[in-house]
Amino acid sequence: MLATLGFLTIGGFLLLTMTKRVSVLVALVLVPVVGAVAAGRAGDIGPMALDGITKVAPTGIMIAFAVLYFSLMIDAGLFEPLIRWILRAAKGDPVRIAVGTAVLTLCVALDGDGASTFLITVSAMLPVYRRIGMSRLVLAAIVCLAAGLMNMVPWGGPTARAAAALKLDTSDIVTPLLPAMGAGVLWVLLAAYLIGRRERNRLGALDDTRRDEAKSTVGDGPGTPRVAERPHHPALTAFNLALTLALLVCLVLEAMPLPVLFVLAFVIALLVNHPRWEDQQSQLEKHGKNVVLVTTMIFAAGVFTGLLTGTGMIERMASALVGVVPDALGGHLPVVVAVTSMPLSLVFTPDAYYFGILPVLAQTADSFGTGHAEIARAAVLGQMTTGFPLSPLTAATFILIGMTGVQLGEHQRFVFRWAFATTLVMTAAALLTGALPL
């Protein structure tokens, strides 16, 4: 009963959001509430929802101040040199911009943290896309693919969870997958090229007049007013760069909790860039809308996961899925896990999959002579590797769509086939190199 309600709840949410019947915010709250009532847990909705909100609260705080910080840096012109360099190198070509986005994301994502990757990469690239008039769906898709792939690093969430759940060393999981990961990088670059070429066809070749305009003006896309850039004081730009680099180093070293780092960095940046009280208030009012849009989605997602976990739906769905695996597929379980793990990342939270489903799958594989390491590698190839920037159950997804300004359903429809293809490419490479048994 609970498993059925869980699948109906997830399916109802995806249906409502992908068909745009209601906003994602409404669906994240009301759909699991209906499911909890149907499960006979109406009296526990408050505590369960509050528990979910409490767990995402640090993420929500971090996102709020991170959005404010990078918005301030964009206004201060910190990324203008990078933007001008990309524009010169790309020469107004959407294909080069798309591939450049993938390369930048692959580099930034080495820290293994999806949230900071989205914050940094989107902040740097969104102005470029606006100037050229490229679709923000393209930006979200390419960042999604590259960041998802790099989430396989040993210090990334999926690998760490898989190693902890099955009591393995991360090297047992990642080292055999390095060739497959290399194939995934090549595929992501090819995908960026193909997506960029399609975008180039949509926009048409940029003429000289528009290209010159793109180098000296900024706007929100085709048909929107463009305003001239303001000159920025070199000393202030140098300070902002030093502060941002220090922030990134502290993020990688985990010198403080991420929310605290962003709070301190934003306050310092605001004080230095806008010492007058009136200017500080103006800056907060200017970007307050973006903060509200992103953080409310995060807390709504906390309600969603809190209710599904608290009612036991997640646990029962995991047991139900394991129970339907035919014995004939037992010998091919690693391939089945690899192929199905990416779609399942849309249904299960990372903790639910790795700590709930994966141990059962590994135990099942034992009877067919398959080791735990092979199952762990298969899970990492898809589950939350290309799925986490698509799943409504992870906060990082809402950072990406919130900063790019795209709808979750549109983003999922646009990038799903590319993300699933990434899993298939890496799975094929893992089979050819022996990381997974045939």
Side-chain angles (χ1 to χ4, degrees), residues 70 74 79 82 86 100-111 113-129 139 142-144 146-147 248 400 403-404:
F70 285 108
I74 291 175
F79 298 106
L82 175 63
I86 292 175
T101 301
V103 172
L104 178 63
T105 307
L106 289 170
C107 295
V108 174
L110 282 170
D111 67 352
D113 180 69
S116 61
T117 298
F118 298 154
L119 290 166
I120 296 168
T121 307
V122 175
S123 296
M125 295 303 301
L126 185 57
V128 178
Y129 279 69
L139 173 59
I142 295 173
V143 172
C144 167
L248 296 180
L400 178 61
M403 294 193 69
T404 54

Side-chain angles (χ1 to χ4, degrees), residues 128-365:
V128 178
Y129 279 69
R130 285 174 171 170
R131 294 184 185 194
I132 300 301
M134 293 177 65
S135 170
R136 289 173 295 182
L137 277 172
V138 171
L139 173 59
I142 295 173
V143 172
C144 167
L145 293 174
L149 170 66
M150 295 305 293
N151 211 29
M152 290 175 64
V153 294
W155 50 89
T159 305
R161 287 185 178 92
L166 301 184
K167 298 179 175 59
L168 300 169
D169 291 332
T170 55
S171 59
D172 295 333
I173 302 173
V174 176
T175 302
L177 287 178
L178 288 177
M181 192 172 178
V185 169
L186 294 177
W187 164 253
V188 167
L189 294 175
L190 175 60
Y193 170 81
L194 296 174
I195 294 172
R197 191 172 64 175
R198 188 171 65 179
E199 186 68 1
R200 176 206 282 165
N201 293 335
R202 184 183 73 84
L203 293 172
L206 293 173
D207 56 34
D208 293 336
T209 302
R210 186 177 174 188
R211 187 178 297 119
D212 291 339
E213 180 186 15
K215 290 181 181 179
S216 60
T217 59
V218 352
D220 293 326
T224 57
R226 299 180 184 271
V227 295
E229 294 178 6
R230 299 181 306 162
H232 303 286
H233 196 284
L236 192 58
T237 301
F239 171 82
N240 288 332
L241 177 60
L243 178 62
T244 301
L245 291 176
L247 172 61
L248 296 180
V249 170
C250 290
L251 288 173
V252 173
L253 297 178
E254 298 183 356
M256 292 183 184
L258 266 62
V260 177
L261 285 173
F262 275 109
V263 169
L264 292 176
F266 172 68
V267 170
I268 294 171
L270 183 63
L271 181 62
V272 173
N273 286 268
H274 303 281
R276 296 174 61 245
W277 178 86
E278 295 83 357
D279 294 336
Q280 294 173 4
Q281 289 299 112
S282 176
Q283 186 73 13
L284 292 172
E285 292 172 1
K286 179 179 180 181
H287 299 293
K289 178 182 177 182
N290 294 333
V291 173
V292 171
L293 289 175
V294 177
T295 54
T296 52
M297 205 75 71
I298 296 298
F299 291 120
V303 174
F304 189 86
T305 55
L307 292 180
L308 262 65
T309 302
T311 57
M313 293 183 192
I314 290 287
E315 181 181 353
R316 294 300 178 87
M317 282 192 290
S319 300
L321 283 177
V322 172
V324 299
V325 176
D327 293 339
L329 290 178
H332 306 286
L333 199 56
V335 177
V336 174
V337 171
V339 173
T340 59
S341 59
M342 186 266 167
L344 288 178
S345 68
L346 298 175
V347 180
F348 294 103
T349 64
D351 289 338
Y353 185 86
Y354 283 104
F355 298 119
I357 296 178
L358 188 59
V360 180
L361 291 174
Q363 192 66 32
T364 304

Side-chain angles (χ1 to χ4, degrees), residues 18-108:
M18 297 185 73
T19 58
K20 297 184 179 180
R21 298 290 183 183
V22 297
S23 71
V24 175
L25 181 66
V26 172
L28 280 171
V29 175
L30 289 186
V31 173
V33 165
V34 172
V37 171
R41 301 290 299 276
D44 298 324
I45 288 177
M48 291 187 297
L50 185 59
D51 182 61
I53 293 173
T54 302
K55 289 181 179 178
V56 301
T59 300
I61 296 169
M62 179 201 70
I63 292 170
F65 284 92
V67 169
L68 288 172
Y69 179 83
F70 285 108
S71 297
L72 189 154
M73 290 296 122
I74 291 175
D75 290 347
L78 176 63
F79 298 106
E80 288 303 319
L82 175 63
I83 294 167
R84 285 194 293 268
W85 181 85
I86 292 175
L87 286 172
R88 284 195 300 268
K91 298 179 180 179
D93 185 4
V95 174
R96 296 187 182 188
I97 293 173
V99 174
T101 301
V103 172
L104 178 63
T105 307
L106 289 170
C107 295
V108 174

